[in-house]
Amino acid sequence: KSTRLIIQNQKVTPSTVTISVGNTFDLCAGITTRGPLWLRRRGLEGIAKAFRNPLRFGRFFWMIVLVFMVFWHKIFKKQRRK
């Protein structure tokens, strides 16, 4: 969403560099919280966000399904060759 906003207003703002801060303002204001530390350490904080926000969960679910299908195909493709 923020990337779309930056692109739409690129001609209006005379700056040469524009940075999208995403969820930073909500975190600093205390509106949202970060995921558990054990997920953050593994780089999986998006999982906690997906379960908190049902709209995000749909996209996350289909991404996991896609990754699973790719690995499944690679595993069984190798077994068929043998």
Side-chain angles (χ1 to χ4, degrees):
K1 293 180 182 181
S2 60
T3 307
R4 191 179 320 146
L5 181 70
I6 290 171
I7 292 170
Q8 288 174 350
N9 294 313
Q10 198 169 21
K11 294 178 182 176
V12 177
T13 57
S15 62
T16 55
V17 177
T18 309
I19 300 172
S20 172
V21 292
N23 198 29
T24 305
F25 292 129
D26 291 339
L27 287 171
C28 291
I31 296 170
T32 61
T33 58
R34 295 190 68 180
L37 185 60
W38 63 275
L39 281 176
R40 284 187 282 168
R41 286 184 177 161
R42 289 165 179 79
L44 300 172
E45 190 173 3
I47 293 173
K49 289 181 181 180
F51 280 105
R52 270 191 238 134
N53 185 353
L55 296 176
R56 184 183 295 247
F57 184 74
R59 290 182 292 179
F60 179 75
F61 172 76
W62 288 113
M63 182 181 67
I64 295 298
V65 168
L66 177 66
V67 169
F68 177 75
M69 290 178 69
V70 167
F71 282 121
W72 183 271
H73 179 67
K74 285 186 177 187
I75 290 170
F76 282 104
K77 191 174 181 181
K78 286 181 181 179
Q79 286 182 356
R80 280 188 233 147
R81 287 183 185 174
K82 291 182 180 179

